[in-house]
Amino acid sequence: MTLSVPYASIGVVPRLGTGVPFIARDAELAQLRGALERARSGSPGAVLVSGDAGVGKSRLLTEFLAEAAEGGARVLLGRCLGVGEAGLPYLPFKEIVEQLRLERDDLVAERPALTGLIGRGPIVSPGPADETSFGQLQLFDAILTVLAELAQESPLVLALEDLHWADPSSRDLLSFLLSRLADHRLLVIATYRSDDLHRQHPLRPLLAELVRLPSVERLDLAPFTTADALAFVEVLADGSIEPTALADVAARSEGNAFFAEELVAASTSGAGGIPTALADVLMARVETLSPAAQRVVGAVSVTGRRHVGHGALRAVVDLDDDELDAALREALQHHILVTTDRDGYTFRHALLREAVYADLLPGERVRLHAAYARRIVELGQDELAAALAHHSLRSNDLPTALAASVRAADDAMRIGALAAELRHVEQALELWSAVDDPESRAGVDELALTRRAADIATAAGHPERALAYAQAAVAVADRGSEPATRADTRRQLTESLLANGRWNEASRTIGEAWELIADAPPSAVSSWVLALQARTSWVADDDLSRAFAERAVEDARSSGTPAAEADALISLAFTELRTGAIEPACEQFEEARRIALSADAPLVEQRAVFNLVTTRYEQGLLDLAAEIADDAAVRAGQLGLTWSTYGLELRWMRAMVHYARGSWDDSMAAASPPGEQVSDTITALLAASAAIIKVGRGRFEEAERDLVRVRPEWHRDSQIPQLAGIAGAEMACWQGRHDPAVTVVQEALESMRKSSSSGWPLGGIRLAALGVGAQADAARQARATGDADAEARAVAAGTQLAEYGLTTAERGMPRADTLGPEGLAWLARLRAEKARLTGSTDPQPWRDVVEAFGYGEVYHVAMARWRLAETLIAAGDRDGAATELAAALDTSEQLGALPLADAVRELARRANVALPGVVRPVAGLLTPREESVLALVARGYTNRKVGEELFISEKTVSVHLSRVMTKLGAASRTEAVSVAYQRGLLTDPIPK
């Protein structure tokens, strides 16, 4: 049984709009499925679905009803409408009876009570009360009888939407039905808005009565979690909104699907604030309040989202205590306000506060802000500095706002709230030029405040903003500061330039800093400038870098600057790496970390740990690297530096280490999007990292969205195009799109070369290997279809890419003196793909790849085993191939690498190789081998190419094909393919 005709005509579409995704409701959908299964077995029931307006009740119901209909249940849907207190009598049930009439007119026509309800029979004029009651009983009984009859034919789902608008008669009828469910195969689902149910709402008594029935259960639909809200908004926006704006929209929606949809629509169109449609919906509820309650709600909106106490409201609202209490009670009962755990009040939803605040007249806002500011000053509580800054600014008291902003930044610093600290410092800087004698008001000079903004932005994950503030600090210092201060601001600017990948500018800037203090005695400034010179000269000249680093260590020890000493030791460790002294270099990284830890220099500490993790990873010591990275992630969280320059580097390095060692869930956790607004660089880097894992697990749609979103950010960091190129190329290869795979490889290489100091970034080896693999697939397909020109083009392009990869291995600059295990493994993969490009079936190159990745890269070992098995089958070593395929399948299943697992099973099927746990079909018109032959013939393959693909002789192919034609009664290959499609023996689309 499918949807009833009228229900289908309504359309199984979300009320929120077209294309609204359905996510994060698995538990709720499971509860509804369970109730339906119980109804199927003769245990009828009802589910009352509650939730705030817009939270997704209709979407959940729509999804479930479509699924129920698809599963053979009959679905009837009625909706209530908000048309006044009394409502339209029996409106949802009239809609249901109309649906029944169109589908089963016999059930309706023979019951006058039903035909009268929908105006298709005689309407009996109301008589005495007892006659009216009798008529109502006839109607109730008729509907129950019809539902019982339908439930005998198939399971029946009766859905009622928006029960909060139900008229009294409909409520009575629902109560009647639910109290007489008996053993019918019937499930009743009713939705209602919980935020509309004030204390006097007429639905409340009915709900209290119904929930006592054993067959009735409740389902409270909560808003999306933070992560689910972000996922919902991402799918809804479909790449039309910037990543930082996505996070803001998700946060403002607070998990409400309707709010999110409206905000996404407004963001897409470029509109700011609250969309008009959403504001109208929100304000409609506020406008039902009394004037006094609206005044109180307006006063609460001025405080922001935070808690406001009763005393504060009494001070700013001109109402006596009784009037204030009554107004607050009204706002609470109508779910506009809610109480907080500190005996105060706040809005039920932040967007509701925004709408109310926007509706205030400008003069009202200024007066209320000024009143709150006066009260805070009277209280004299330092912890209210942020609130004082907020209200002073909005009441145009700029001097007070400046001083309070600086104090609020200090408060935020003490509790490690970096985002809040940055916001307050930025506000102070914005006010600086608008206030007379700002330095005395703020208690700090402009240079110190600007440099503080740069430091906070760096730690909070905003490298671009940090750079802007560092540049501004240099300009302020150059207006009259002493040389040491001017040099130190350039040191700070150098660090910001390095964090943004601008090495040449960083080198020039730190050179300027040294010229300012070259003749000065050792100091903290000179030791830091020398340490930065060591860092910026490392790529170009090892000897010069070592000389700067050694001098920096001397100056740091003379001036008592251990943080600079630790930073210089890290640069010295790099020069050790270049000579192949890996363990001594790691010892220096460890020493630098210990010194930075004792000196309370967390940013230097993170730099040391990052380089230690990277070195261990490049050595192939994946477990050790993962252990260090995990500890570093915990430490970064404790320091509040998760999104600092090296905090980010550690995060994505942790993702890469866990990806390599096969702990993909841990890798995805590390690459998960930030729960706060950070730099576009950070967002893009994490998304590109996650896309690699999503591709490996076959989550191509998600990966595609990530890659489209990060494409404009490739210029920000060379790691972004490298990671995105890997993910994009692998996905295109799994999808059989060879040309797009090569295109994304070439684009990624070009982008990486632009920001590479040597011009030969070593990540190019891996990308080149993937590109050659794509061309090898294209050449193989061309050989199978006899297209010699296409094969020649693929071989030529693949050979060119292979040469690029080999040249990169020769000219690139590894951190150590030679390529580590990972680089050598990808070099082996490159050579194996080059051999495959020309049609070679020699197993040895792929044995080399298996061995090269054997240091711990489990996924790429499995990939190589799959390719090795192909060559072994071609060589006739079926037992060896079975061993390799079984190992590859086991790894891919453990990782959840679905594309690889499918490829392994497909190869085993084509080669007729048995795999553990894989059941091969033994019955049917065609044998598995005959099905394989026919599928390739359908693609246009010749007998010879079919034989090469299935590792059998051309003669054997001819024999199989003859048997297929006989079984299908076909006179030709073409007719056999056509008959097979008609009979469902072939399911793949016919190639065009």
Side-chain angles (χ1 to χ4, degrees):
M1 183 67 66
T2 58
L3 291 169
S4 66
V5 174
Y7 180 77
S9 70
I10 292 170
V12 184
V13 295
R15 186 185 300 179
L16 294 175
T18 58
V20 178
F22 183 73
I23 65 171
R25 296 303 190 194
D26 292 345
E28 293 84 355
L29 198 56
Q31 183 176 342
L32 294 176
R33 287 171 181 155
L36 179 57
E37 287 307 308
R38 290 190 292 275
R40 286 181 192 276
S41 63
S43 298
V47 182
L48 303 177
V49 181
S50 64
D52 287 358
V55 79
K57 300 181 297 300
S58 294
R59 186 69 176 88
L60 173 66
L61 184 63
T62 295
E63 192 76 15
F64 172 71
L65 294 182
E67 182 181 296
E70 199 172 302
R74 188 188 302 273
V75 172
L76 298 172
L77 173 65
R79 295 187 175 110
C80 306
L81 293 178
V83 290
E85 187 67 27
L88 298 176
Y90 299 119
L91 179 62
F93 291 98
K94 286 182 179 179
E95 188 175 353
I96 288 168
V97 173
E98 282 285 6
Q99 292 172 40
L100 284 174
R101 185 188 65 80
L102 292 176
E103 187 175 344
R104 290 290 306 274
D105 185 53
D106 57 313
L107 292 178
V108 176
E110 63 189 26
R111 292 174 173 83
L114 298 185
T115 57
L117 179 67
I118 59 175
R120 293 182 175 271
I123 302 175
V124 181
S125 300
D130 57 342
E131 292 183 15
T132 302
S133 298
F134 179 73
Q136 185 181 62
L137 181 59
Q138 283 184 312
L139 174 63
F140 287 14
D141 186 65
I143 288 181
L144 178 60
T145 303
V146 169
L147 295 179
E149 278 193 47
L150 290 173
Q152 287 180 348
E153 298 174 2
S154 62
L156 176 63
V157 179
L158 180 70
L160 301 172
E161 276 208 89
D162 297 325
L163 204 59
H164 51 280
W165 285 328
D167 63 280
S169 300
S170 295
R171 294 196 297 267
D172 290 342
L173 178 48
L174 176 62
S175 177
F176 176 85
L177 292 176
L178 296 190
S179 63
R180 289 164 175 78
L181 286 177
D183 58 355
H184 310 308
R185 292 191 299 166
L186 172 65
L187 173 64
V188 179
I189 302 176
T191 69
Y192 65 91
R193 292 182 186 173
S194 52
D195 52 342
D196 269 9
L197 300 192
H198 52 80
R199 287 187 179 180
Q200 303 303 316
H201 196 288
L203 185 61
R204 277 184 174 273
L206 175 62
L207 293 175
E209 169 193 329
L210 295 181
V211 296
R212 289 197 293 267
L213 298 174
S215 58
V216 176
E217 57 185 294
R218 300 186 64 168
L219 194 166
D220 297 320
L221 198 61
F224 291 133
T225 63
T226 301
D228 289 338
L230 182 58
F232 179 81
V233 168
E234 284 181 341
V235 177
L236 204 61
D238 194 24
S240 62
I241 301 178
E242 293 296 318
T244 51
L246 281 176
D248 179 62
V249 168
R252 291 177 69 200
S253 74
E254 292 189 356
N256 186 289
F258 172 71
F259 293 174
E261 187 190 12
E262 291 295 321
L263 291 171
V264 166
S267 298
T268 302
S269 65
I274 300 181
T276 302
L278 178 54
D280 289 344
V281 169
L282 294 169
M283 288 304 298
R285 298 180 60 203
V286 176
E287 288 164 359
T288 64
L289 300 177
S290 66
Q294 290 190 45
R295 286 171 59 192
V296 170
V297 167
V300 176
S301 76
V302 172
T303 66
R305 184 72 172 116
R306 64 187 299 279
H307 153 104
V308 57
H310 193 90
L313 282 175
R314 188 168 53 212
V316 301
V317 178
D318 186 20
L319 294 173
D320 62 35
D321 287 347
D322 290 341
E323 291 173 325
L324 178 60
D325 289 343
L328 284 168
R329 184 174 294 108
E330 184 181 352
L332 291 167
Q333 289 178 354
H334 283 78
H335 303 287
I336 306 297
L337 301 180
V338 294
T339 56
T340 69
D341 55 5
R342 291 189 292 166
D343 296 328
Y345 310 95
T346 191
F347 277 84
R348 182 181 179 87
H349 198 288
L351 283 177
L352 184 55
R353 185 207 69 80
E354 286 187 45
V356 172
Y357 185 76
D359 196 57
L360 293 174
L361 295 173
E364 288 182 281
R365 293 180 201 163
V366 171
R367 286 194 300 273
L368 286 167
H369 280 300
Y372 278 117
R374 285 193 300 272
R375 175 171 171 77
I376 293 170
V377 172
E378 290 169 1
L379 291 174
Q381 295 177 351
D382 292 339
E383 66 271 17
L384 296 178
L388 179 59
H390 170 76
H391 292 300
S392 299
L393 179 63
R394 282 156 182 78
S395 59
N396 301 320
D397 183 359
L398 303 188
T400 302
L402 172 60
S405 295
V406 174
R407 292 203 304 274
D410 294 339
D411 292 342
M413 179 185 65
R414 281 190 287 271
I415 61 174
L418 289 172
E421 184 182 1
L422 179 59
R423 185 172 65 251
H424 293 308
V425 169
E426 288 181 326
Q427 181 168 290
L429 287 171
E430 289 172 5
L431 292 168
W432 196 266
S433 60
V435 173
D436 292 333
D437 192 15
E439 188 171 327
S440 63
R441 298 273 187 182
V444 64
D445 62 43
E446 183 182 8
L447 178 59
L449 197 60
T450 306
R451 297 191 67 181
R452 180 179 179 179
D455 286 337
I456 303 166
T458 296
H462 299 282
E464 296 93 347
R465 285 159 74 182
L467 177 58
Y469 286 122
Q471 290 169 330
V474 169
V476 174
D478 285 351
R479 292 204 295 258
S481 298
E482 59 182 356
T485 300
R486 293 167 61 198
D488 200 42
T489 57
R490 282 166 171 76
R491 184 272 310 166
Q492 186 180 31
L493 175 57
T494 299
E495 295 199 71
S496 288
L497 289 166
L498 290 174
N500 284 274
R502 294 160 66 166
W503 282 78
N504 292 334
E505 292 177 64
S507 182
R508 288 197 303 271
T509 302
I510 202 64
E512 294 173 5
W514 180 246
E515 290 176 3
L516 289 166
I517 57 168
D519 298 329
S523 65
V525 174
S526 68
S527 59
W528 268 115
V529 169
L530 288 165
L532 265 294
Q533 283 190 305
R535 204 190 302 183
T536 56
S537 59
W538 172 76
V539 174
D541 190 328
D542 285 350
D543 292 337
L544 184 60
S545 177
R546 177 182 292 275
F548 279 131
E550 289 174 345
R551 174 94 181 264
V553 170
E554 292 177 9
D555 274 28
R557 289 172 178 169
S558 298
S559 61
T561 316
E565 177 188 355
D567 196 78
L569 286 175
I570 297 170
S571 297
L572 277 175
F574 277 119
T575 63
E576 294 286 351
L577 283 176
R578 283 292 179 81
T579 66
I582 296 178
E583 289 308 317
C586 288
E587 290 173 5
Q588 283 195 312
F589 288 140
E590 287 281 13
E591 183 182 0
R593 175 166 68 169
R594 288 192 296 270
I595 294 173
L597 182 62
S598 62
D600 192 23
L603 296 178
V604 180
E605 177 189 342
Q606 285 189 318
R607 182 183 174 222
V609 176
F610 167 75
N611 283 289
L612 184 59
V613 171
T614 304
T615 303
R616 294 308 189 191
Y617 171 74
E618 291 178 347
Q619 284 182 279
L621 303 176
L622 300 183
D623 290 342
L624 178 57
E627 180 183 348
I628 299 170
D630 289 345
D631 291 343
V634 174
R635 173 73 174 153
Q638 293 171 342
L639 294 169
L641 296 175
T642 298
W643 305 114
S644 65
T645 301
Y646 280 101
L648 165 66
E649 301 281 356
L650 279 164
R651 189 178 177 98
W652 75 255
M653 194 69 222
R654 179 171 175 251
M656 291 298 97
V657 170
H658 280 293
Y659 169 79
R661 66 193 295 266
S663 45
W664 282 12
D665 289 342
D666 291 332
S667 181
M668 276 299 294
S672 60
E676 56 190 284
Q677 286 194 16
V678 294
S679 157
D680 289 344
T681 303
I682 293 175
T683 304
L685 195 51
L686 292 178
S689 302
I692 293 178
I693 307 164
K694 291 176 181 177
V695 167
R697 285 184 161 168
R699 293 158 56 181
F700 295 150
E701 289 186 8
E702 294 178 49
E704 181 66 27
R705 285 196 299 270
D706 289 343
L707 295 176
V708 168
R709 194 170 70 242
V710 306
R711 185 61 181 84
E713 315 303 331
W714 279 22
H715 67 284
R716 296 182 180 277
D717 188 307
S718 63
Q719 293 292 342
I720 297 173
Q722 179 178 329
L723 297 172
I726 291 168
E730 289 185 346
M731 179 169 63
C733 284
W734 284 126
Q735 295 172 327
R737 299 183 299 116
H738 313 126
D739 290 344
V742 174
T743 298
V744 75
V745 164
Q746 292 172 334
E747 290 176 349
L749 290 173
E750 179 62 27
S751 179
M752 292 163 60
R753 280 196 295 266
K754 289 178 181 178
S755 58
S756 170
S757 57
S758 68
W760 297 94
L762 289 172
I765 301 174
R766 180 173 180 175
L767 282 167
L770 295 175
V772 175
Q775 294 290 19
D777 290 338
R780 177 178 178 175
Q781 182 176 345
R783 283 192 291 271
T785 56
D787 190 339
D789 291 341
E791 179 186 1
R793 288 194 299 271
V795 170
T799 301
Q800 186 177 4
L801 262 176
E803 290 304 315
Y804 174 85
L806 294 172
T807 304
T808 298
E810 294 174 2
R811 299 189 182 182
M813 296 176 58
R815 292 170 76 252
D817 61 329
T818 58
L819 283 176
E822 183 196 18
L824 293 173
W826 279 104
L827 203 54
R829 170 81 178 267
L830 176 65
R831 294 189 177 105
E833 295 289 7
K834 184 180 180 183
R836 194 167 69 88
L837 179 69
T838 56
S840 170
T841 57
D842 181 8
Q844 191 54 47
W846 289 105
R847 292 190 194 278
D848 293 342
V849 179
V850 171
E851 182 179 356
F853 279 112
Y855 65 87
E857 286 254 21
V858 293
Y859 176 65
H860 294 297
V861 168
M863 288 281 292
R865 289 186 185 279
W866 166 51
R867 290 300 189 190
L868 174 58
E870 281 186 321
T871 62
L872 291 173
I873 292 169
D877 185 0
R878 306 179 70 79
D879 291 339
T883 299
E884 300 299 336
L885 288 173
L889 182 61
D890 181 62
T891 298
S892 59
E893 288 181 336
Q894 289 182 31
L895 295 174
L898 298 181
L900 177 56
D902 289 344
V904 169
R905 294 190 188 98
E906 172 62 16
L907 176 58
R909 184 189 65 79
R910 288 191 291 110
N912 204 24
V913 172
L915 289 178
V918 177
V919 179
R920 296 170 57 207
V922 295
L925 179 63
L926 303 181
T927 67
R929 177 62 81 193
E930 289 167 352
E931 289 179 357
S932 298
V933 168
L934 188 59
L936 293 177
V937 169
R939 296 184 191 177
Y941 284 23
T942 64
N943 284 7
R944 182 170 64 85
K945 297 306 179 184
V946 170
E948 292 176 1
E949 185 75 8
L950 298 179
F951 310 101
I952 56 180
S953 69
E954 185 175 353
K955 182 178 180 180
T956 302
V957 173
S958 180
V959 171
H960 283 306
L961 190 55
S962 296
R963 290 174 179 168
V964 168
M965 291 165 62
T966 299
K967 290 180 179 181
L968 298 180
S972 67
R973 296 159 56 98
T974 303
E975 185 180 356
V977 170
S978 177
V979 171
Y981 274 114
Q982 292 172 8
R983 299 177 63 174
L985 298 175
L986 290 178
T987 56
D988 291 338
I990 299 176
K992 296 181 179 179

